């Protein structure tokens, strides 16, 4: 519903709700502010919800040259700077979690709570190859091949079986979307921007209470990666959403939302047994 | 802070907070309303929190003869009846979860949300033997033997290692408590009241949204039991708290509380993707 | 080292070793008899090892039209028929496990022991889409894109990190191999032959002792699929190789081989406690 | 079938079979050479099987004073010394695995293969309390209480449900056995001998190929302990027997035996991919 200028680019963001702890949500690579539509009402009931499109994502400006995560981290910094809060809570899923980790490392004083869902502290050499595969397929400008290569893998077998019609709808919509050359170029750049990410050794700089979320069936960023986050972030707690693939917010919206909103809305005094 | 009369017995309960969805908490077998002291402030911030001691527990009356779960289920019914709500949310942990399951089966119209933590749909023949062991040890009126037999097993190795001093304090306090003959007699009756519990075939009568919580290191009621709950309760979602033993609310108070409060405070409209 | 004729096609197979229980190994889709080279000496020490290339695989004849699993099942039948044994043990991995399941359902009297590694009782709608993706990419005749889409996903992150040089070698070799049009056409047909596979309801016909093997990090055929095998095959036992991806025999050759050879070489009397 | 003298005590051991790699099996605390009766035929078919009773166990001499693991480690050393082999393979389960770890640390040149099942590199403070509980109960000389406290916990819920009659038999036999004062005194000493065990920092001295076995439902020595073994023993591989409790050899004799015999009988050349 609004744009702000950032390094010469227009960044799209939305603010929903009027009271409660502010919660900034950072998207996965194939998502946008639109992806959160089913969640907005619930998430803005007791919180001020801030959604944002990264560069090359949704309604934010496209880039033209390659970049790495750091520009998205600066974008988050600029976004937080212009919000009227000393601190915000941040939930990042997948790509958004990677950016959230880096923002929390560099600006620990601005982050009240951190929720890291289906994400990692690094792009492993394995994940880099998976991303290279997406980009190699993208070069053929075949939206259907790109859809089949990138989307089914983020859902669990069980979800696929149970939500066949919904997945068919996604296939139609996304195949059309991925058939646009500008979209594929953005996705190539976004994917490439993760290539050199490795913050394992910097996780100790995160100081806020942090919730790490795994999905039991995440084939893209498996629990072994979330364990690295949990073991290296001091005040972290770690849960698993069972029976879910990578897209946990879609597969298990109740469990996902209970965790995110419940964690963000716990008071600052904590619970000492 | 108050008592109500139930079948000739005095039942102790507490009501904390003034606004928000009402949340009734049902205790594990060795717990009481006192166990929730560190949680009261947080849980009554946005909810009306109702704590209660089962018969033979805390400040409620002791029984003199053996009984089964059904009397505790009627107790919950009486409690809910005298509260000014059509519906309440219920969180039951361990023994409390078993009672919660039965209440929700028999009074589905009174339960808005159900959270079942570290609990089961039945007392397996294995768990029955474990309980028989507790009671056989109790007969020797040796508070220390009873402590060692019943308490360490409910914590994870990791928690024990990290909270050594706290566990030593528990050992002292609980050994003294378990050395009281009346306490042991109550615990024997409470344990025995679970012997014949088996609601696996009735779980389909639970209609409200339900959250099932496992702990990865629960040595007393392992995840295999929670899977039975999840697979048979229609609107259930299922998460695991990692690195926690049976006493998840003590071992991982942040993850536990985020889940309970987050789930209870999700709106009634749900989230449809 | 030998060929036999089957429905007008030449099928390549190898027999190694001279004594012990005969063990037939059925390959995964991207494998061939050559894949077992590092294993031959060990597996033929105490067993007669029989390797075979499916149609469209290795040195067996290529097909020209599409087919389903049933032709490969008949191929196995023909192979076993010409071996001098009443019964053989069969180990099938991935695609080979799917064929092994079908052979054991239809010829239970010929199978002494069955080992099913990283395989499934059905092609789920999810896995079908993954396969469709491989074939869609194959159409672009880009060996590198095909390699990136099909190969990294079958290894675990940990294996990739630790065996970087070996994986680089695979990338070079397989990219060249996948750049051959005839190879891609064979792989398209092999992948398509799995599309309609669903033997869940027939698993009860398997009567021999069966070992089901999962890998904890299998992103292609996750443990949820092996659980279906285990729960429906009467005399089955079920283990997980930890820290391994889909290609368990390459990632954890010791654990894999101990399981396969240990299980096949257990005597027929069984162990009764 | 034979005894050897060790530090003034008679140690009972058995040798079965005549050919193949020698395999020494070290018992869990409540076991003895008798426990392996159902396994002897299978394990001595292709191997020389050596069973032994620790001091205070089975037919070996009872002790009179307390001791720690080191005396059992010396016992193993004496046993191996009088066998006609330069090297032996050792499989230790639970308590026997703890002794096996120590033997392999101090005598790496004598161990060809090591299999560590349901065991740990240390007695955690948690496990120490569990053991203290067993001993506190033992003081009451109530064989049934001791049975209920020590035995059901080593089986999985599923096994208990499915083998109810067998468990009832165990209850009768073991309650009688645990009602003998000398037996309880031996068990108290055996349990106490584990109190100070901690070899985590010495695991790097183990040089032979090692197989670490977890059970998914082990409530006594959970997989978190086996992970410590695997991460610190250089040439180790790590598997999980699914659906099994602590007594894996009884719950899943096929999977257990396939692993043990398969691993021990892999050749020395290894498998290099």
């Amino acid at each position: 519903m609004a744009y702000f200028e950032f390094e010469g680019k227009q960044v799209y963001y939305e603010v929903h709700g009027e009271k409660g702890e502010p919660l900034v949500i950072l998207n996965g690579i194939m998502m946008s502010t639109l992806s959160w539509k089913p969640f907005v009402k619930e998430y803005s009931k007791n919180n001020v919800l801030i959604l944002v499109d990264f560069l090359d994502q949704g309604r934010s400006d496209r880039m033209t040259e390659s970049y790495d995560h750091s520009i998205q981290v600066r974008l988050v910094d600029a976004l937080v700077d212009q919000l009227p809060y000393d601190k915000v809570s941040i939930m990042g899923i997948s790509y958004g979690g990677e950016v959230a980790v880096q923002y929390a490392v560099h600006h620990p004083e601005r982050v009240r709570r951190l929720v890291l869902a289906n994400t990692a502290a690094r792009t492993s050499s394995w994940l880099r190859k998976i991303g290279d595969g997406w980009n190699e397929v993208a070069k053929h400008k075949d939206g259907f091949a790109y859809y089949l290569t990138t989307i089914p893998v983020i859902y669990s077998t069980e979800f696929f079986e149970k939500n066949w019609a919904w997945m068919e709808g996604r296939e139609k919509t996304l195949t059309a979307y991925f058939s646009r050359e500008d979209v594929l170029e953005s996705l190539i750049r976004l994917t490439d921007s993760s290539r050199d990410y490795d913050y394992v050794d910097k996780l100790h700089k995160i100081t806020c209470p942090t919730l790490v979320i795994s999905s039991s069936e995440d084939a893209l960023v498996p629990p072994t990666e979330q364990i690295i986050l949990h073991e290296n972030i001091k005040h972290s707690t770690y849960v698993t959403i069972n029976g879910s693939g990578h897209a946990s917010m879609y597969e298990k919206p109740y469990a996902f939302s209970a965790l995110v909103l419940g964690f963000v809305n716990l008071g600052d005094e904590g619970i000492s047994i």
Side-chain angles (χ1 to χ4, degrees), chain A:
Chain A
M1 305 179 288
Y3 290 86
F4 70 92
E5 195 175 310
F6 162 72
E7 301 188 4
K9 301 283 178 184
Q10 289 299 106
V11 173
Y12 178 80
Y13 72 109
E14 300 179 3
V15 179
H16 302 273
E18 283 157 22
K19 62 184 170 59
E21 295 292 343
L23 168 62
V24 174
I25 286 186
L26 301 181
N27 306 321
I29 203 165
M30 310 254 167
M31 300 171 65
S32 75
T33 50
L34 263 179
S35 311
W36 300 100
K37 209 178 166 192
F39 298 83
V40 164
K41 190 169 179 186
E42 187 64 48
Y43 282 54
S44 61
K45 197 176 62 180
N46 299 313
N47 292 91
V48 178
L49 173 68
I50 299 107
L51 301 174
V52 63
D53 286 329
F54 284 124
L55 291 168
D56 264 329
Q57 196 174 65
R59 280 169 274 186
S60 288
D61 275 358
R62 306 275 163 194
M63 301 290 283
T64 47
E65 307 201 354
S66 68
Y67 48 89
D68 67 16
H69 278 167
S70 61
I71 194 168
Q72 311 283 22
V73 178
R74 292 198 307 274
L75 176 155
V76 173
D77 191 32
L79 170 68
V80 174
D81 265 352
Q82 65 149 32
L83 294 172
Y85 310 110
D86 285 344
K87 290 186 175 212
V88 294
S89 293
I90 301 181
M91 191 289 286
I93 186 164
S94 196
Y95 185 93
E98 298 172 0
V99 174
V101 160
Q102 294 169 75
Y103 181 76
V105 162
H106 293 297
H107 305 279
E109 75 288 354
R110 305 300 301 268
V111 189
R112 189 183 152 268
R113 293 283 161 82
L114 189 60
V115 181
L116 302 172
N118 307 280
T119 195
R122 56 166 189 167
T123 300
S124 69
S125 49
W126 179 83
L127 191 55
R128 197 175 302 127
K129 285 288 174 192
I130 299 292
D132 287 352
W134 295 4
N135 284 357
E136 195 66 26
V137 171
K139 288 179 190 163
H140 291 286
K141 296 171 189 175
D142 172 346
F144 186 45
Y146 191 79
Y147 170 83
L148 288 171
T149 307
T150 59
I151 300 300
V153 73
I154 68 177
Y155 293 96
S156 72
T157 298
E158 190 189 0
F159 184 83
F160 230 83
E161 299 273 337
K162 286 194 182 165
N163 297 277
W164 184 246
W166 188 80
M167 285 309 312
E168 292 290 288
R170 298 288 284 177
E171 181 174 312
K172 211 164 288 180
T173 310
L174 287 173
T175 295
Y177 185 62
F178 294 152
S179 297
R180 285 172 46 189
E181 208 162 317
D182 61 329
V183 166
L184 284 180
E185 280 169 7
S186 289
L187 287 168
I188 288 173
R189 284 188 298 266
L190 278 166
T191 299
D192 266 343
S193 72
S194 293
R195 288 196 112 254
D196 299 321
Y197 167 58
D198 188 349
Y199 264 53
V200 175
D201 292 342
K202 300 195 180 87
L203 295 175
H204 66 276
K205 297 188 180 174
I206 297 179
T207 54
C208 66
T210 299
L211 172 65
V212 178
I213 302 175
S214 279
S215 295
S216 62
E217 314 298 318
D218 190 332
L220 202 56
V221 191
T224 46
E225 296 297 316
Q226 282 97 56
I227 290 171
I228 295 175
L229 288 168
H230 173 51
E231 290 186 343
N232 290 282
I233 299 178
K234 199 171 174 187
H235 300 292
S236 66
T237 192
Y238 172 37
V239 301
T240 298
I241 299 178
N242 295 305
S244 175
H246 185 63
S248 55
M249 85 287 181
Y250 278 158
E251 291 209 22
K252 303 289 177 186
Y254 275 71
F256 180 87
S257 301
L259 279 165
V260 172
L261 298 177
F263 190 73
V264 166
N265 289 323
L266 288 179
D268 288 324
E269 295 181 29
I271 298 166
S272 300
I273 59 164

